[in-house]
Amino acid sequence: MHFDTLALRATHLSDPTTGAVVPPIHLATTFARDEANELTGSYIYSRPNNPNREALETALATLEGGAVGMAFGSGQAATMTLLQALSPGDHVLVATDSYYGTPALLEQVFHPWGLTYTRVHMDDLDAVKQSMHENTRLVWCETPSNPLLTITDLLTVSRLAHDAGALCVCDNTWATPVLQRPLELNCDIVMHSTSKYLSGHSDVLGGALVFKRNDEFTQRVRSLQSLSGAVPSPFDCWLISRGIKTLGVRMRAQMATAQAVADFLDGHPSVEKVHYPGLANHPDRALIGQQMNGPGAMLSVQVNGGTAEALAFIGKLKLFTRATSLGGVESLIEHRASVEGPTSSTPANLLRLSIGLEHAEDLIADLAQALR
């Protein structure tokens, strides 16, 4: 099936009791037993499982082509639970250009606990191979990366990980399963911040993991999910499931606008550089065509100057909301280095744009007046 059909069939579950075409929200935290003290259904308590979370997890596995899906209270909760499934003394290889919260978790929480890690440029395959240790258990990819939109060769990196006896994880938040299916590119686990494109309306916090196999490691993560309780509420699961219904339509519309915006900015006299996988002169254009169905709706732009010039530019914008996060229907812009803090390695003149559903000509006109 085409993705749009698959997304609707995976989330459009009629209520068997009433026939309602919109699934109900099951807010109960606990579930009754009969006179013989037997459960009347398959649920006992909402922390281990809930009908809305189960429906969302099944849908996520379907969309990514995986065996098991797990939903969490945030993307960071998903990442943290996965790292908790490793053992002290294990080594993690993580992309240098990745969401800043991922290495922050490793440095501030898991390194003191006993994990070691190495940051490496994932687009440098020789460096990836040389950075593997005997105790490497996890290779964390993010493609396109945040915020420089670096492209990682998932087939090759996953092979290098497997040769070293490690699992390969891909943060697929920016591409979504509309544009990229890492499990089909030999990755073992996919991670999502479902707060972003999957929910799509900037009104719910969530995260997810999808596993290629239902093996012992997968079940260890499932156990940690239940024990830690870092799970989304039934209403959050319902909202994310609702957002998934329109994911394909939104992504295609937002991507078309992002392409127009990137083409406008590329070569503008006030712009130093544009980072966007859809540019005709992108050095990884062949790889992008092999593993992605489109360049996505995120881009970064480096304006001429430094922090002062970047902040002055976004201060003039009228249609872009100056805010963190991405993937909603509204266009957002942020000065990434300010958000990441004093240890940020992001260029001081870089601005990250999340393109929404506004008309492309209106967004371009807004950017043009701010760049004058």
Side-chain angles (χ1 to χ4, degrees):
M1 287 184 288
H2 291 82
F3 182 87
D4 292 358
T5 307
L6 190 66
L8 280 171
R9 288 184 62 86
T11 56
H12 196 76
L13 307 173
S14 299
D15 179 25
T17 303
T18 65
V21 297
V22 177
I25 304 171
H26 297 272
L27 296 176
T29 57
T30 192
F31 299 84
R33 297 173 182 266
D34 61 18
E35 293 84 353
N37 203 41
E38 299 292 332
L39 290 170
T40 58
S42 57
Y43 307 99
I44 183 171
Y45 188 65
S46 200
R47 174 168 47 79
N49 205 359
N50 167 277
N52 295 108
R53 188 161 88 244
E54 184 175 70
L56 173 60
E57 292 178 337
T58 300
L60 291 166
T62 299
L63 297 184
E64 286 287 4
V68 177
M70 299 182 199
F72 296 85
S74 68
Q76 283 293 84
T79 301
M80 189 164 187
T81 306
L82 184 61
L83 294 174
Q84 284 177 319
L86 301 176
S87 299
D90 288 347
H91 174 254
V92 177
L93 201 60
V94 62
T96 299
D97 178 28
S98 60
Y99 170 61
Y100 81 108
T102 303
L105 266 179
L106 284 164
E107 176 61 27
Q108 298 176 34
V109 178
F110 288 100
H111 184 60
W113 176 68
L115 288 185
T116 60
Y117 71 97
T118 302
R119 300 189 71 173
V120 65
H121 293 283
M122 286 287 173
D123 55 340
D124 185 342
L125 297 176
D126 288 336
V128 172
K129 186 175 182 179
Q130 293 169 10
S131 299
M132 296 287 184
H133 298 179
E134 288 186 2
N135 60 335
T136 301
R137 296 292 175 263
L138 204 67
V139 177
W140 188 282
C141 304
E142 182 178 319
T143 181
S145 68
N146 179 5
L148 293 175
L149 292 105
T150 305
I151 305 299
T152 297
D153 183 342
L154 290 177
L155 272 174
T156 302
V157 171
S158 62
R159 176 178 57 79
L160 293 173
H162 296 157
D163 288 347
L167 297 171
C168 187
V169 184
C170 179
D171 183 336
N172 202 33
T173 299
W174 281 25
T176 79
V178 178
L179 304 180
Q180 183 171 263
R181 302 239 295 184
L183 300 184
E184 294 178 354
L185 296 166
N186 218 24
C187 292
D188 302 286
I189 306 166
V190 172
M191 177 269 176
H192 281 282
S193 171
T194 54
S195 315
K196 312 303 193 294
Y197 286 105
L198 271 69
S199 61
H201 293 80
S202 303
D203 57 6
V204 60
L205 193 66
L209 297 171
V210 179
F211 296 79
K212 190 172 187 175
R213 296 171 296 276
N214 188 9
D215 55 16
E216 183 179 349
F217 183 78
T218 301
Q219 287 307 308
R220 175 166 170 76
V221 179
R222 174 69 85 187
S223 176
L224 288 170
Q225 179 201 34
S226 175
L227 288 170
S228 69
V231 294
S233 72
F235 185 47
D236 289 347
C237 293
W238 187 90
L239 283 173
I240 296 166
S241 295
R242 184 179 68 167
I244 288 172
K245 298 178 192 297
T246 59
L247 175 59
V249 177
R250 286 186 284 107
M251 179 56 74
R252 288 193 298 275
Q254 289 168 273
M255 182 167 59
T257 301
Q259 182 71 62
V261 168
D263 289 339
F264 164 75
L265 291 171
D266 191 38
H268 190 285
S270 298
V271 171
E272 177 185 317
K273 188 173 183 179
V274 176
H275 304 270
Y276 183 64
L279 293 177
N281 59 356
H282 197 288
D284 293 317
R285 192 164 180 82
L287 176 60
I288 293 164
Q290 290 170 13
Q291 68 182 32
M292 296 183 70
N293 295 320
M298 294 295 301
L299 63 134
S300 293
V301 56
Q302 291 177 248
V303 298
N304 294 336
T307 300
E309 288 76 12
L311 293 178
F313 162 57
I314 64 173
K316 299 175 185 176
L317 292 170
K318 308 299 182 186
L319 296 182
F320 286 82
T321 300
R322 292 173 290 277
T324 297
S325 199
L326 57 103
V329 295
E330 65 289 318
S331 290
L332 305 178
I333 191 166
E334 70 171 355
H335 183 244
R336 193 65 197 156
S338 296
V339 174
E340 294 179 354
T343 61
S344 173
S345 60
T346 298
N349 63 342
L350 184 140
L351 299 163
R352 192 184 74 180
L353 287 72
S354 172
I355 302 301
L357 289 176
E358 301 90 347
H359 197 284
E361 292 180 3
D362 295 328
L363 293 179
I364 290 170
D366 190 30
L367 292 165
Q369 64 83 23
L371 285 168
R372 284 202 295 267

mmCIF file of all heavy atoms in Angstrom, residues 284-316:
data_model
loop_
_atom_site.group_PDB
_atom_site.id
_atom_site.type_symbol
_atom_site.label_atom_id
_atom_site.label_comp_id
_atom_site.label_asym_id
_atom_site.label_seq_id
_atom_site.Cartn_x
_atom_site.Cartn_y
_atom_site.Cartn_z
ATOM 1 N N ASP A 284 25.917 15.033 -1.407
ATOM 2 C CA ASP A 284 25.417 13.675 -1.180
ATOM 3 C C ASP A 284 24.124 13.404 -1.942
ATOM 4 O O ASP A 284 23.312 12.572 -1.527
ATOM 5 C CB ASP A 284 25.192 13.440 0.320
ATOM 6 C CG ASP A 284 26.482 13.444 1.111
ATOM 7 O OD1 ASP A 284 27.455 12.840 0.642
ATOM 8 O OD2 ASP A 284 26.509 14.082 2.188
ATOM 9 N N ARG A 285 23.947 14.073 -3.047
ATOM 10 C CA ARG A 285 22.688 13.962 -3.787
ATOM 11 C C ARG A 285 22.390 12.515 -4.198
ATOM 12 O O ARG A 285 21.254 12.051 -4.120
ATOM 13 C CB ARG A 285 22.733 14.865 -5.015
ATOM 14 C CG ARG A 285 21.382 15.038 -5.692
ATOM 15 C CD ARG A 285 21.382 16.224 -6.642
ATOM 16 N NE ARG A 285 20.087 16.395 -7.295
ATOM 17 C CZ ARG A 285 19.051 17.019 -6.744
ATOM 18 N NH1 ARG A 285 19.158 17.526 -5.530
ATOM 19 N NH2 ARG A 285 17.914 17.144 -7.401
ATOM 20 N N ALA A 286 23.431 11.769 -4.622
ATOM 21 C CA ALA A 286 23.212 10.380 -5.043
ATOM 22 C C ALA A 286 22.768 9.518 -3.863
ATOM 23 O O ALA A 286 21.823 8.726 -3.984
ATOM 24 C CB ALA A 286 24.489 9.822 -5.658
ATOM 25 N N LEU A 287 23.416 9.688 -2.705
ATOM 26 C CA LEU A 287 23.052 8.917 -1.519
ATOM 27 C C LEU A 287 21.645 9.259 -1.054
ATOM 28 O O LEU A 287 20.870 8.375 -0.677
ATOM 29 C CB LEU A 287 24.059 9.180 -0.399
ATOM 30 C CG LEU A 287 23.776 8.530 0.953
ATOM 31 C CD1 LEU A 287 23.712 7.014 0.827
ATOM 32 C CD2 LEU A 287 24.827 8.943 1.976
ATOM 33 N N ILE A 288 21.307 10.543 -1.091
ATOM 34 C CA ILE A 288 19.966 10.974 -0.698
ATOM 35 C C ILE A 288 18.924 10.282 -1.569
ATOM 36 O O ILE A 288 17.897 9.797 -1.071
ATOM 37 C CB ILE A 288 19.848 12.506 -0.797
ATOM 38 C CG1 ILE A 288 20.740 13.167 0.259
ATOM 39 C CG2 ILE A 288 18.395 12.960 -0.626
ATOM 40 C CD1 ILE A 288 20.991 14.643 0.015
ATOM 41 N N GLY A 289 19.186 10.200 -2.868
ATOM 42 C CA GLY A 289 18.259 9.544 -3.778
ATOM 43 C C GLY A 289 18.133 8.052 -3.523
ATOM 44 O O GLY A 289 17.079 7.459 -3.773
ATOM 45 N N GLN A 290 19.192 7.449 -2.996
ATOM 46 C CA GLN A 290 19.166 6.012 -2.732
ATOM 47 C C GLN A 290 18.383 5.648 -1.480
ATOM 48 O O GLN A 290 17.720 4.613 -1.443
ATOM 49 C CB GLN A 290 20.604 5.499 -2.584
ATOM 50 C CG GLN A 290 21.405 5.488 -3.874
ATOM 51 C CD GLN A 290 22.875 5.204 -3.627
ATOM 52 O OE1 GLN A 290 23.270 4.784 -2.537
ATOM 53 N NE2 GLN A 290 23.708 5.446 -4.632
ATOM 54 N N GLN A 291 18.455 6.485 -0.440
ATOM 55 C CA GLN A 291 17.854 6.060 0.834
ATOM 56 C C GLN A 291 16.698 6.930 1.300
ATOM 57 O O GLN A 291 16.076 6.619 2.318
ATOM 58 C CB GLN A 291 18.923 5.977 1.919
ATOM 59 C CG GLN A 291 19.545 7.282 2.365
ATOM 60 C CD GLN A 291 20.645 7.059 3.417
ATOM 61 O OE1 GLN A 291 21.350 6.053 3.414
ATOM 62 N NE2 GLN A 291 20.773 8.005 4.336
ATOM 63 N N MET A 292 16.384 8.009 0.560
ATOM 64 C CA MET A 292 15.282 8.872 0.952
ATOM 65 C C MET A 292 14.318 9.067 -0.220
ATOM 66 O O MET A 292 14.725 9.048 -1.385
ATOM 67 C CB MET A 292 15.800 10.236 1.427
ATOM 68 C CG MET A 292 16.656 10.191 2.672
ATOM 69 S SD MET A 292 17.172 11.846 3.233
ATOM 70 C CE MET A 292 15.592 12.507 3.824
ATOM 71 N N ASN A 293 13.047 9.301 0.109
ATOM 72 C CA ASN A 293 12.030 9.591 -0.897
ATOM 73 C C ASN A 293 11.789 11.084 -1.059
ATOM 74 O O ASN A 293 10.822 11.489 -1.700
ATOM 75 C CB ASN A 293 10.708 8.911 -0.518
ATOM 76 C CG ASN A 293 10.827 7.403 -0.530
ATOM 77 O OD1 ASN A 293 11.473 6.834 -1.405
ATOM 78 N ND2 ASN A 293 10.229 6.743 0.447
ATOM 79 N N GLY A 294 12.649 11.889 -0.478
ATOM 80 C CA GLY A 294 12.520 13.341 -0.571
ATOM 81 C C GLY A 294 13.387 13.995 0.477
ATOM 82 O O GLY A 294 13.836 13.345 1.428
ATOM 83 N N PRO A 295 13.658 15.306 0.336
ATOM 84 C CA PRO A 295 14.610 15.983 1.222
ATOM 85 C C PRO A 295 14.044 16.461 2.547
ATOM 86 O O PRO A 295 14.798 16.918 3.405
ATOM 87 C CB PRO A 295 15.074 17.173 0.372
ATOM 88 C CG PRO A 295 13.901 17.467 -0.516
ATOM 89 C CD PRO A 295 13.272 16.138 -0.815
ATOM 90 N N GLY A 296 12.749 16.404 2.744
ATOM 91 C CA GLY A 296 12.170 16.826 4.010
ATOM 92 C C GLY A 296 11.817 18.302 4.058
ATOM 93 O O GLY A 296 11.955 19.036 3.071
ATOM 94 N N ALA A 297 11.367 18.743 5.228
ATOM 95 C CA ALA A 297 10.869 20.112 5.396
ATOM 96 C C ALA A 297 11.682 20.920 6.385
ATOM 97 O O ALA A 297 11.244 21.976 6.832
ATOM 98 C CB ALA A 297 9.399 20.079 5.829
ATOM 99 N N MET A 298 12.882 20.434 6.740
ATOM 100 C CA MET A 298 13.780 21.162 7.625
ATOM 101 C C MET A 298 14.969 21.691 6.838
ATOM 102 O O MET A 298 15.476 21.022 5.950
ATOM 103 C CB MET A 298 14.300 20.234 8.732
ATOM 104 C CG MET A 298 13.248 19.742 9.693
ATOM 105 S SD MET A 298 12.507 21.051 10.686
ATOM 106 C CE MET A 298 13.943 21.720 11.530
ATOM 107 N N LEU A 299 15.417 22.897 7.172
ATOM 108 C CA LEU A 299 16.637 23.425 6.582
ATOM 109 C C LEU A 299 17.302 24.359 7.574
ATOM 110 O O LEU A 299 16.671 24.841 8.519
ATOM 111 C CB LEU A 299 16.364 24.162 5.262
ATOM 112 C CG LEU A 299 15.484 25.415 5.325
ATOM 113 C CD1 LEU A 299 16.106 26.535 4.519
ATOM 114 C CD2 LEU A 299 14.095 25.093 4.770
ATOM 115 N N SER A 300 18.594 24.555 7.384
ATOM 116 C CA SER A 300 19.342 25.515 8.185
ATOM 117 C C SER A 300 20.014 26.497 7.253
ATOM 118 O O SER A 300 20.420 26.134 6.143
ATOM 119 C CB SER A 300 20.392 24.807 9.053
ATOM 120 O OG SER A 300 19.781 24.018 10.040
ATOM 121 N N VAL A 301 20.132 27.738 7.701
ATOM 122 C CA VAL A 301 20.761 28.778 6.895
ATOM 123 C C VAL A 301 21.770 29.528 7.755
ATOM 124 O O VAL A 301 21.504 29.820 8.921
ATOM 125 C CB VAL A 301 19.705 29.738 6.311
ATOM 126 C CG1 VAL A 301 18.843 30.361 7.399
ATOM 127 C CG2 VAL A 301 20.355 30.817 5.467
ATOM 128 N N GLN A 302 22.932 29.780 7.191
ATOM 129 C CA GLN A 302 23.947 30.593 7.845
ATOM 130 C C GLN A 302 23.980 31.951 7.145
ATOM 131 O O GLN A 302 24.307 32.045 5.963
ATOM 132 C CB GLN A 302 25.322 29.930 7.777
ATOM 133 C CG GLN A 302 25.425 28.673 8.621
ATOM 134 C CD GLN A 302 26.769 27.977 8.488
ATOM 135 O OE1 GLN A 302 26.855 26.873 7.939
ATOM 136 N NE2 GLN A 302 27.821 28.617 9.001
ATOM 137 N N VAL A 303 23.578 32.974 7.876
ATOM 138 C CA VAL A 303 23.570 34.322 7.315
ATOM 139 C C VAL A 303 24.965 34.931 7.436
ATOM 140 O O VAL A 303 25.803 34.456 8.207
ATOM 141 C CB VAL A 303 22.533 35.212 8.028
ATOM 142 C CG1 VAL A 303 21.126 34.660 7.827
ATOM 143 C CG2 VAL A 303 22.844 35.330 9.518
ATOM 144 N N ASN A 304 25.225 35.958 6.657
ATOM 145 C CA ASN A 304 26.513 36.643 6.763
ATOM 146 C C ASN A 304 26.642 37.291 8.143
ATOM 147 O O ASN A 304 25.706 37.934 8.625
ATOM 148 C CB ASN A 304 26.637 37.719 5.678
ATOM 149 C CG ASN A 304 26.691 37.124 4.286
ATOM 150 O OD1 ASN A 304 27.067 35.968 4.108
ATOM 151 N ND2 ASN A 304 26.323 37.901 3.284
ATOM 152 N N GLY A 305 27.801 37.121 8.779
ATOM 153 C CA GLY A 305 28.018 37.705 10.096
ATOM 154 C C GLY A 305 28.048 36.659 11.178
ATOM 155 O O GLY A 305 28.419 35.500 10.945
ATOM 156 N N GLY A 306 27.628 37.064 12.369
ATOM 157 C CA GLY A 306 27.656 36.169 13.520
ATOM 158 C C GLY A 306 26.336 36.180 14.253
ATOM 159 O O GLY A 306 25.264 36.356 13.654
ATOM 160 N N THR A 307 26.401 36.040 15.587
ATOM 161 C CA THR A 307 25.197 35.974 16.404
ATOM 162 C C THR A 307 24.342 37.225 16.264
ATOM 163 O O THR A 307 23.113 37.139 16.098
ATOM 164 C CB THR A 307 25.569 35.772 17.880
ATOM 165 O OG1 THR A 307 26.298 34.548 18.027
ATOM 166 C CG2 THR A 307 24.333 35.720 18.753
ATOM 167 N N ALA A 308 24.953 38.389 16.313
ATOM 168 C CA ALA A 308 24.198 39.653 16.260
ATOM 169 C C ALA A 308 23.415 39.765 14.966
ATOM 170 O O ALA A 308 22.233 40.151 14.967
ATOM 171 C CB ALA A 308 25.146 40.836 16.428
ATOM 172 N N GLU A 309 24.051 39.425 13.851
ATOM 173 C CA GLU A 309 23.379 39.531 12.554
ATOM 174 C C GLU A 309 22.258 38.496 12.427
ATOM 175 O O GLU A 309 21.185 38.795 11.876
ATOM 176 C CB GLU A 309 24.397 39.341 11.427
ATOM 177 C CG GLU A 309 25.351 40.502 11.240
ATOM 178 C CD GLU A 309 26.452 40.557 12.294
ATOM 179 O OE1 GLU A 309 26.616 39.556 13.055
ATOM 180 O OE2 GLU A 309 27.155 41.574 12.364
ATOM 181 N N ALA A 310 22.499 37.287 12.962
ATOM 182 C CA ALA A 310 21.467 36.253 12.898
ATOM 183 C C ALA A 310 20.235 36.643 13.710
ATOM 184 O O ALA A 310 19.089 36.497 13.259
ATOM 185 C CB ALA A 310 22.027 34.925 13.402
ATOM 186 N N LEU A 311 20.458 37.184 14.908
ATOM 187 C CA LEU A 311 19.333 37.584 15.758
ATOM 188 C C LEU A 311 18.611 38.800 15.190
ATOM 189 O O LEU A 311 17.381 38.914 15.298
ATOM 190 C CB LEU A 311 19.833 37.872 17.173
ATOM 191 C CG LEU A 311 20.366 36.667 17.943
ATOM 192 C CD1 LEU A 311 20.883 37.090 19.318
ATOM 193 C CD2 LEU A 311 19.303 35.579 18.087
ATOM 194 N N ALA A 312 19.357 39.702 14.575
ATOM 195 C CA ALA A 312 18.720 40.872 13.955
ATOM 196 C C ALA A 312 17.815 40.442 12.811
ATOM 197 O O ALA A 312 16.716 40.984 12.625
ATOM 198 C CB ALA A 312 19.796 41.840 13.459
ATOM 199 N N PHE A 313 18.262 39.459 12.042
ATOM 200 C CA PHE A 313 17.475 38.958 10.921
ATOM 201 C C PHE A 313 16.164 38.340 11.396
ATOM 202 O O PHE A 313 15.076 38.695 10.912
ATOM 203 C CB PHE A 313 18.297 37.941 10.127
ATOM 204 C CG PHE A 313 17.504 37.057 9.221
ATOM 205 C CD1 PHE A 313 16.677 37.578 8.243
ATOM 206 C CD2 PHE A 313 17.575 35.670 9.352
ATOM 207 C CE1 PHE A 313 15.943 36.751 7.406
ATOM 208 C CE2 PHE A 313 16.855 34.838 8.523
ATOM 209 C CZ PHE A 313 16.032 35.387 7.547
ATOM 210 N N ILE A 314 16.233 37.420 12.357
ATOM 211 C CA ILE A 314 14.990 36.760 12.775
ATOM 212 C C ILE A 314 14.070 37.721 13.531
ATOM 213 O O ILE A 314 12.859 37.505 13.578
ATOM 214 C CB ILE A 314 15.256 35.491 13.600
ATOM 215 C CG1 ILE A 314 15.966 35.799 14.920
ATOM 216 C CG2 ILE A 314 16.041 34.477 12.806
ATOM 217 C CD1 ILE A 314 16.095 34.583 15.824
ATOM 218 N N GLY A 315 14.643 38.791 14.085
ATOM 219 C CA GLY A 315 13.806 39.785 14.755
ATOM 220 C C GLY A 315 12.898 40.538 13.807
ATOM 221 O O GLY A 315 11.895 41.123 14.223
ATOM 222 N N LYS A 316 13.225 40.527 12.515
ATOM 223 C CA LYS A 316 12.427 41.237 11.507
ATOM 224 C C LYS A 316 11.343 40.364 10.878
ATOM 225 O O LYS A 316 10.492 40.876 10.141
ATOM 226 C CB LYS A 316 13.349 41.753 10.392
ATOM 227 C CG LYS A 316 14.408 42.743 10.861
ATOM 228 C CD LYS A 316 15.338 43.093 9.700
ATOM 229 C CE LYS A 316 16.486 43.986 10.141
ATOM 230 N NZ LYS A 316 17.433 44.254 9.024
#
